[in-house]
């Protein structure tokens, strides 16, 4: 059997080797899920919810060990691993609270012996190809509502978060979800391709645009339900009436949290010329206060870069920005020692000729551009092929609403950033993807409507 080797990105040490799937085992697992799904749907919703309640309790009980596993294979600072697991609990609570109402059969017309109803039935067998940067968040956004609504799930964790994915499967099975209803599928891109070759009813992917585009090309002709949560180049505009220190502290965190490895990390900052210098000074002060180091230490803020190939991407963006006239204010290099380390990096005097301001960085690097006013800021914020999130800092709510209404983004922020809520849909424009998760819409997305036309025989 194939083996998948798992390395610690902070030390480059081999953590584990686990059995990996191949085309044959993927086909067998898909058949198991297909056979098991009707039985899972026949389980009353109340009992399906009880399984998820027990799963939640297990996450709480084992939170420290689960956080340690995630930190070991992703390089995420241990406090941030705990934050992710604690944040997952609120998402589970939301899905448990809202799922009943989303599955109620709706009577939309009843007159003269004719009744019309809408029933919400599960998709069937869904594939979740998940991400490594927030594996509990990204996975839970899919498999929790998918299971609650009666689907079977083939869950492929990222090869960079495999141990975490296997822990999810173990806890779900111990909580009462049948082993053939939630099945972990282990491996890299070739295993994802094998999953796409199966007869499935939906595929939910989180990752890069390039991979998402290949998935869409493969599955588009087959009319499979498809949700693609892809990249972002998320901009924020700091107006001249904003407090530069407060905005800088918030945006430094938004750019560097989780070592900048978030789809909604702040990746472009535009600052009004009247407060530009004060903002940059405060931003640098904040970033220089972030501790870089061992992700298992409680006071570490910047951990390792999870994927070694991303270091070359960051180096290329640094070289391109410098060659085109940007000013490097701090960082800009790999850090010595074993593992994948990159210094927190800040540029000023950037522009849109630079890759740094156009292509997703996914690392601890940011460009700050001076703008003359609102019109220029909005034009630059929309000068992108992505459209995931965008933000504005100003004390004037009406101004912020007016500006954000002009920006193409699935989520917009006033005086905040890098924030996701279970109550709001998570979606994007352009190359940031199609479909959505979270909110009540993110429960409905795992169902399809069935229209009933019922005429009485009287």
């Amino acid at each position: 059997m194939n083996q998948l080797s798992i390395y610690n990105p902070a030390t480059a040490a081999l953590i584990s080797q686990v059995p990996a799937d191949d085309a044959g085992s993927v086909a067998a697992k898909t058949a198991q899920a297909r056979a098991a799904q009707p039985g899972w749907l026949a389980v009353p919703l109340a009992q399906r919810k009880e399984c998820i309640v027990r799963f939640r309790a297990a996450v709480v009980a084992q939170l420290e060990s689960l956080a340690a596993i995630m930190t070991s294979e992703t390089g995420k600072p241990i406090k941030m691993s705990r934050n992710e697991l604690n944040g997952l609990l609120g998402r589970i609570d939301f899905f448990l609270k809202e799922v009943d109402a989303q599955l109620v059969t709706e009577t939309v017309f009843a007159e003269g012996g004719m009744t019309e109803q809408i029933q919400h039935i599960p998709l069937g067998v869904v594939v979740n190809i998940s991400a490594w940067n927030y594996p509990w968040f990204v996975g839970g956004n899919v498999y929790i509502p998918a299971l609650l609504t009666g689907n079977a799930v083939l869950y492929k964790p990222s090869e960079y978060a495999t141990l975490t994915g296997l822990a999810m499967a173990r806890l779900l099975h111990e909580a009462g979800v049948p082993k053939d209803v939630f099945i972990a599928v282990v491996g890299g891109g070739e295993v994802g391709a094998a999953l796409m070759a199966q007869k499935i009813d939906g595929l939910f992917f989180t990752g890069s645009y390039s991979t998402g585009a290949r998935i869409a090309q493969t599955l588009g002709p087959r009319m499979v339900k498809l949700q693609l949560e892809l990249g972002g180049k998320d901009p924020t505009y700091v107006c001249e009436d904003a407090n530069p220190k407060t905005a800088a502290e918030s945006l430094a965190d938004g750019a560097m949290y989780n070592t900048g490895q978030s789809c909604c990390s702040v990746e472009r900052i535009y600052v009004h010329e009247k407060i530009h210098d004060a903002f940059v000074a405060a931003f640098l002060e904040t970033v220089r206060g972030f501790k870089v180091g061992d992700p298992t230490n409680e006071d570490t803020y910047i951990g390792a870069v999870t994927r070694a190939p991303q270091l070359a991407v960051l180096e290329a963006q640094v070289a391109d920005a410098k060659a085109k006239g940007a000013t490097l204010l701090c960082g800009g290099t790999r850090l010595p020692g074993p593992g994948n380390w990159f210094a927190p990096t800040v540029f000023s005097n950037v522009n849109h000729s630079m890759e740094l301001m156009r292509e997703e960085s996914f690392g601890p690097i940011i460009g700050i551009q001076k703008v003359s006013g609102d019109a220029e800021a909005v034009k630059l914020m929309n000068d992108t092929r992505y459209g995931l999130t965008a933000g504005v800092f100003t004390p004037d709510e009406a101004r912020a609403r007016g500006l954000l209404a002009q920006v193409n983004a699935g989520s917009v922020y006033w005086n905040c950033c890098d924030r996701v809520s279970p109550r709001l849909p998570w979606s994007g424009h352009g190359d940031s993807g199609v479909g959505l998760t979270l909110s009540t819409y993110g429960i409905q997305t795992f169902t399809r409507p069935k229209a009933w036309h019922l005429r009485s025989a009287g």
Side-chain angles (χ1 to χ4, degrees), residues 161-349:
T162 299
L163 300 179
T164 293
L166 293 174
M168 295 172 189
R170 174 178 60 82
L171 294 184
L172 284 166
H173 297 157
E174 290 173 356
V177 176
K179 291 185 176 180
D180 289 347
V181 168
F182 183 91
I183 305 178
V185 181
V186 173
E190 71 287 351
V191 172
L195 279 167
M196 285 191 286
Q198 307 306 311
K199 186 181 186 304
I200 57 176
D201 303 300
L203 188 143
F204 295 75
F205 168 78
T206 299
S208 70
Y209 166 79
S210 58
T211 301
R214 290 196 299 272
I215 291 171
Q217 290 168 357
T218 300
L219 291 182
R222 290 168 49 191
M223 309 304 168
V224 171
K225 175 70 178 285
L226 191 59
Q227 189 262 321
L228 302 172
E229 181 185 323
L230 309 178
K233 194 64 185 172
D234 307 281
T236 298
Y237 170 41
V238 183
C239 301
E240 81 285 351
D241 55 0
N243 182 309
K245 186 174 188 298
T246 301
E249 291 172 349
S250 177
L251 290 171
D253 181 63
M256 301 290 175
Y257 190 88
N258 198 31
T259 317
Q261 299 172 122
S262 303
C263 296
C264 56
S265 288
V266 176
E267 292 227 355
R268 295 179 284 149
I269 301 175
Y270 304 100
V271 184
H272 195 286
E273 59 190 6
K274 290 183 178 179
I275 64 165
H276 173 270
D277 292 351
F279 175 89
V280 169
F283 192 93
L284 273 175
E285 181 182 2
T286 303
V287 169
R288 286 171 173 152
F290 292 152
K291 180 173 180 181
V292 182
D294 184 348
T296 65
N297 288 346
E298 293 292 335
D299 57 349
T300 293
Y301 181 88
I302 300 286
V305 173
T306 303
R307 296 177 60 256
Q310 196 65 21
L311 296 173
V313 173
L314 298 174
E315 287 180 322
Q317 289 193 353
V318 168
D320 177 72
K322 291 168 71 174
K324 292 174 178 174
T327 301
L328 178 63
L329 301 176
C330 69
T333 61
R334 299 190 193 207
L335 295 175
N340 312 326
W341 297 91
F342 203 86
T345 300
V346 180
F347 277 99
S348 65
N349 294 322

Side-chain angles (χ1 to χ4, degrees), residues 131-153:
W132 50 262
N133 58 332
Y134 287 96
W136 287 94
F137 275 172
V138 173
N141 291 349
V142 173
Y143 63 71
I144 298 296
L147 291 170
L148 288 171
T149 52
N151 295 278
V153 178

Side-chain angles (χ1 to χ4, degrees), residues 338-358:
N340 312 326
W341 297 91
F342 203 86
T345 300
V346 180
F347 277 99
S348 65
N349 294 322
V350 295
N351 60 61
H352 278 218
S353 72
M354 302 170 185
E355 294 292 302
L356 173 63
M357 300 300 281
R358 303 200 66 82

